[in-house]
Amino acid sequence: MTEYPHWDLPEDLAAAWEEDFNRLEEAAPLFSFSSHLSEAPGTKLGGYPSWFTWPGWPDCDGCDNRMDHLLTVASWECDGASWRTWLPLEDRGADGSRAVPVDPTGLDVGSVGSVYIFECR
């Protein structure tokens, strides 16, 4: 699977894709880049963090470079919108609806938050 950052999508890509985003949102009112095409939500290894607020990439104390996302431990595996794209087929009902709760583990990190772990390569 390929993820794209949402909050910190490079300006040139955001500008190049803006017309496509607008067309998709008109054709599919439930569509949202952040929920359906950018970061996969939930607990995961690698990829981009699903920031709840503006990105907070840490810098390495040793080399001053931006660190890479290693792991997210999340309270929820999806939300009311993102499950349509990211929920595995095995977790859907026969009619395609969401058949499992958004928090199957019952984990609660800071009231539906996430913990991000970064590494310096």
Side-chain angles (χ1 to χ4, degrees):
M1 139 177 71
T2 301
E3 292 182 300
Y4 295 96
H6 167 229
W7 288 99
D8 49 356
L9 183 66
E11 287 183 26
D12 59 331
L13 282 180
W17 293 348
E18 183 175 12
E19 188 176 309
D20 293 328
F21 290 160
N22 292 337
R23 232 183 1 259
L24 283 169
E25 288 175 5
E26 287 175 16
L30 295 177
F31 171 82
S32 133
F33 174 73
S34 63
S35 293
H36 300 106
L37 295 177
S38 62
E39 307 98 2
T43 299
K44 62 182 174 179
L45 183 63
Y48 290 96
S50 295
W51 303 109
F52 288 104
T53 60
W54 194 253
W57 293 97
D59 291 329
C60 174
D61 289 337
C63 69
D64 289 329
N65 289 322
R66 186 178 96 171
M67 297 175 75
D68 295 316
H69 174 249
L70 175 65
L71 173 70
T72 294
V73 177
S75 297
W76 287 10
E77 293 304 308
C78 58
D79 61 28
S82 65
W83 73 269
R84 290 178 175 87
T85 301
W86 299 107
L87 189 69
L89 295 176
E90 301 83 30
D91 293 339
R92 296 172 186 249
D95 62 353
S97 64
R98 187 178 76 219
V100 299
V102 295
D103 62 342
T105 64
L107 181 66
D108 186 6
V109 180
S111 186
V112 192
S114 297
V115 172
Y116 307 112
I117 299 174
F118 297 88
E119 68 171 338
C120 178
R121 293 184 192 202

